[in-house]
Amino acid sequence: MSYRELVFTVPAEIAEPLGDALLEVGALSVTVEDDAAGGYDENPLYGEPGLSPEVQAWDRSSVTALFNPEIDNSDAVNFIPELLASLKEAGFNLPAPEEKIVEEQDWVRLTQSQFAPIQIGERIWVVPSWHEEPTDPNAICLAVDPGLAFGTGSHPTTHLCLLWLEKNTQLQNKSLLDYGCGSGILAIAAAKLGCNPVVGTDIDPQAMVAAHSNAEINHTVIRFVLPNEDAVELATETKYDIVMANILANPLQVLAPALVNKMRSGGKIVLSGVLARQAEEVIATYSQWLTLAVWQESEGWVCLHGTLPENGDTASLIDKNTDASVPAQKKTLKLILLSLFFILLIAFGEHLSRNSLLPTLATRVDGSSPAIATSAFSLLQKFDEQLCRALGCVNRSVSDFAAWKITSVTLSPENAREGFKNGLNQSTLQVEIQNRLAISVLFPNLEIVLTDAEELEIKTIQFSPQEWLPSIWQESHRGFLKQGAPSGGIFRSELPISLPQNAAGYRVRIFYPEK
């Protein structure tokens, strides 16, 4: 049996409604493709969650409809003229389409032939269910079929993550979180390499279905949870030895606080889905917590990894010095007295240049500063308060970029349910920032940079403190422009944003305008 294909070349705005009309008149299937695919004027479409292209078609689209002559008599001489007449009544005035005859084939076998086993590194193999497993006794086989979710091992980003897992020889009984797990291939590989427990999460419910199925096929025990399940695996207090995320550069930056928060002290993080040109920006985003580095690069994509610094363990030091002699104790006492003496000197010196010295010595309130530094600065502040009561002081808030931390940011389209069908593309930027310093700091400006699918800047929007701070907060803090933000203060704001039609990504930063 043979099928009949009819190919219509139409402008982008009618591609989708024409496809619907063809299905209504009896087409078995409809496919929309770029008419210039493979040519110099090919026009690829890109999108990220929450920022999809408004028109899901190309400037000139090929709409291909498949018909079965045994069902619809599409081999009749007058079939095309009657079809064009029906489409004209529906509002489509079209020229005669191109015709192709498609012979009957074993479509399942043809599709399967495109997916052969993939070897990754020395031991890992991704083997579709219809292929024989390799005979190598050391092979670690992952049975994953192409399906509902991203992740078959063929893409460089997935390949790099699997290679990282294989090269890491210390995975036994290490806990691992696969953030944005897709098909679950990375979680499955981690479990087979010795990680335990292994948890996967993804915002797509279909991905959860595919991941559960793949885990069962591979005889692995993995817990897959949606972010909105309030599962203990994603609770704030639950930490992991390894956090792995193979998504995209923009979400990796927005999710940075959440991903780092899931790491144990001394734990490792592995990030993929980052183009080589985006690496420095992602590394800079994570630099406030840990040092990221490029582990390996493949076909223009990079895999980044890093380790969360361990907290000092004073208990172990005490155990080692249980038998310390009396002279050692005297040395410790002298060191303490000497430290106090220097603190006094700093305090008096600070009184003479306090408005520049205090910001320099200020510690952070988020726990990232050493405990001894925090205690010393707290003592310095108390001395400063006493001196100011006795001698008088002029307080001046400072502008310090390093004081601020963007704890969360989301750009949510207000008309997401309508799929951006109206022309305004109104969205809401939800941002939360915190003053991490142990002193008051002047409020900064906010800037959002909208980018297209090529990561090129298309629009920059800036907000002054008067524009982004909630009006209720401003009314209750009349002198906020001079007094600044209090230590540890967290500020949340929702700002309306009008998105350009070609917006596909965004970046948010804070800055102080040049004086």
Side-chain angles (χ1 to χ4, degrees):
M1 182 179 70
S2 59
Y3 297 86
R4 193 176 191 182
E5 270 190 357
L6 302 181
V7 183
F8 299 85
T9 302
V10 297
E13 58 269 15
I14 69 170
E16 186 175 350
L18 174 60
D20 294 338
L22 287 166
L23 290 172
E24 289 180 4
V25 298
L28 294 177
S29 66
V30 173
T31 305
V32 181
E33 300 175 297
D34 186 0
D35 187 55
Y40 71 92
D41 55 348
E42 181 178 3
N43 180 27
L45 292 176
Y46 297 98
E48 290 192 15
L51 287 171
S52 300
E54 180 182 8
V55 179
Q56 300 289 341
W58 294 265
D59 295 339
R60 287 190 61 77
S61 299
S62 292
V63 181
T64 302
L66 183 68
F67 294 90
N68 183 351
E70 294 186 0
I71 298 175
D72 50 32
N73 296 319
S74 53
D75 55 350
V77 176
N78 60 344
F79 177 77
I80 291 180
E82 290 179 356
L83 175 63
L84 291 173
S86 298
L87 292 173
K88 188 173 183 179
E89 290 180 3
F92 303 96
N93 191 8
L94 303 171
E98 295 182 24
E99 301 180 53
K100 297 178 183 177
I101 301 299
V102 181
E103 297 299 334
E104 177 69 22
Q105 299 185 57
D106 185 341
W107 299 107
V108 173
R109 188 175 298 276
L110 179 63
T111 301
Q112 291 180 348
S113 67
Q114 301 175 33
F115 297 95
I118 302 171
Q119 183 177 8
I120 295 171
E122 297 178 0
R123 294 186 296 158
I124 295 180
W125 286 80
V126 182
V127 185
S129 59
W130 53 85
H131 280 281
E132 294 291 332
E133 293 186 354
T135 57
D136 182 359
N138 295 319
I140 296 175
C141 297
L142 312 178
V144 178
D145 293 345
L148 294 173
F150 174 82
T152 61
S154 59
H155 196 277
T157 60
T158 310
H159 192 115
L160 286 168
C161 289
L162 290 171
L163 199 58
W164 187 94
L165 287 170
E166 186 193 78
K167 296 293 184 183
N168 195 308
T169 59
Q170 300 178 346
L171 296 182
Q172 290 297 321
N173 296 318
K174 297 290 187 182
S175 59
L176 181 140
L177 172 65
D178 181 5
Y179 200 99
C181 62
S183 68
I185 186 172
L186 300 181
I188 293 168
K192 289 199 169 189
L193 286 166
C195 286
N196 183 41
V198 178
V199 176
T201 184
D202 200 293
I203 61 174
D204 182 4
Q206 292 292 345
M208 295 289 94
V209 173
H212 275 293
S213 175
N214 287 330
E216 291 178 359
I217 293 171
N218 283 272
H219 307 292
T220 52
V221 178
I222 301 171
R223 174 90 165 112
F224 292 103
V225 294
L226 288 165
N228 58 1
E229 288 184 23
D230 293 329
V232 66
E233 289 83 359
L234 299 181
T236 303
E237 61 274 12
T238 305
K239 311 293 182 181
Y240 294 88
D241 297 311
I242 303 170
V243 174
M244 182 169 280
N246 178 24
I247 39 183
L248 293 170
N250 279 337
L252 285 176
Q253 293 179 78
V254 173
L255 291 168
L259 293 177
V260 174
N261 184 57
K262 301 312 297 175
M263 299 175 65
R264 279 206 179 104
S265 178
K268 299 182 182 299
I269 189 168
V270 183
L271 306 178
S272 194
V274 180
L275 291 168
R277 69 172 186 269
Q278 300 169 326
E280 290 303 321
E281 188 174 346
V282 176
I283 290 172
T285 300
Y286 283 78
S287 63
Q288 56 187 299
W289 300 286
L290 51 86
T291 300
L292 284 179
V294 174
W295 179 71
Q296 212 169 105
E297 180 175 349
S298 176
E299 298 180 30
W301 299 89
V302 296
C303 176
L304 305 175
H305 72 154
T307 303
L308 189 67
E310 293 193 30
N311 295 327
D313 189 354
T314 55
S316 61
L317 294 177
I318 293 173
D319 292 339
K320 291 179 181 179
N321 291 283
T322 303
D323 298 326
S325 62
V326 174
Q329 295 177 6
K330 290 182 177 180
K331 288 182 179 180
T332 302
L333 181 59
K334 288 181 180 179
L335 181 60
I336 292 173
L337 293 174
L338 187 61
S339 298
L340 291 174
F341 174 72
F342 276 111
I343 290 174
L344 286 172
L345 288 180
I346 292 173
F348 283 103
E350 177 269 339
H351 181 70
L352 302 177
S353 57
R354 61 189 306 276
N355 288 309
S356 59
L357 188 59
L358 278 176
T360 302
L361 299 176
T363 55
R364 294 180 179 180
V365 297
D366 60 358
S368 60
S369 296
I372 188 170
T374 302
S375 299
F377 185 74
S378 176
L379 186 59
L380 175 62
Q381 284 183 303
K382 291 179 180 179
F383 274 112
D384 178 70
E385 291 175 4
Q386 296 297 327
L387 287 172
C388 284
R389 289 177 183 175
L391 305 176
C393 291
V394 177
N395 291 313
R396 296 188 183 93
S397 295
V398 298
S399 56
D400 190 339
F401 174 83
W404 294 97
K405 173 183 177 182
I406 300 177
T407 54
S408 69
V409 60
T410 306
L411 185 60
S412 304
E414 294 179 357
N415 57 334
R417 294 183 179 178
E418 291 77 28
F420 291 132
K421 290 184 179 178
N422 64 54
L424 295 177
N425 277 4
Q426 289 295 329
S427 299
T428 300
L429 176 69
Q430 298 174 315
V431 62
E432 179 182 279
I433 67 173
Q434 180 187 21
N435 171 20
R436 298 179 296 166
L437 284 190
I439 59 173
S440 297
V441 178
L442 292 175
F443 286 100
N445 288 17
L446 289 181
E447 179 182 89
I448 177 170
V449 178
L450 300 174
T451 59
D452 61 14
E454 298 294 330
E455 296 284 334
L456 298 177
E457 182 177 322
I458 57 177
K459 185 177 182 181
T460 299
I461 307 170
Q462 296 181 351
F463 299 94
S464 66
Q466 299 95 315
E467 294 171 320
W468 69 262
L469 275 171
S471 57
I472 296 178
W473 196 91
Q474 294 186 41
E475 291 173 1
S476 60
H477 299 78
R478 294 292 184 179
F480 72 95
L481 287 178
K482 292 184 178 180
Q483 297 171 359
S487 170
I490 298 176
F491 304 90
R492 303 174 182 87
S493 184
E494 294 188 358
L495 304 168
I497 300 290
S498 180
L499 297 179
Q501 297 296 329
N502 58 337
Y506 66 95
R507 297 189 296 271
V508 176
R509 75 179 183 98
I510 58 178
F511 71 98
Y512 287 99
E514 296 182 1
K515 297 181 180 180

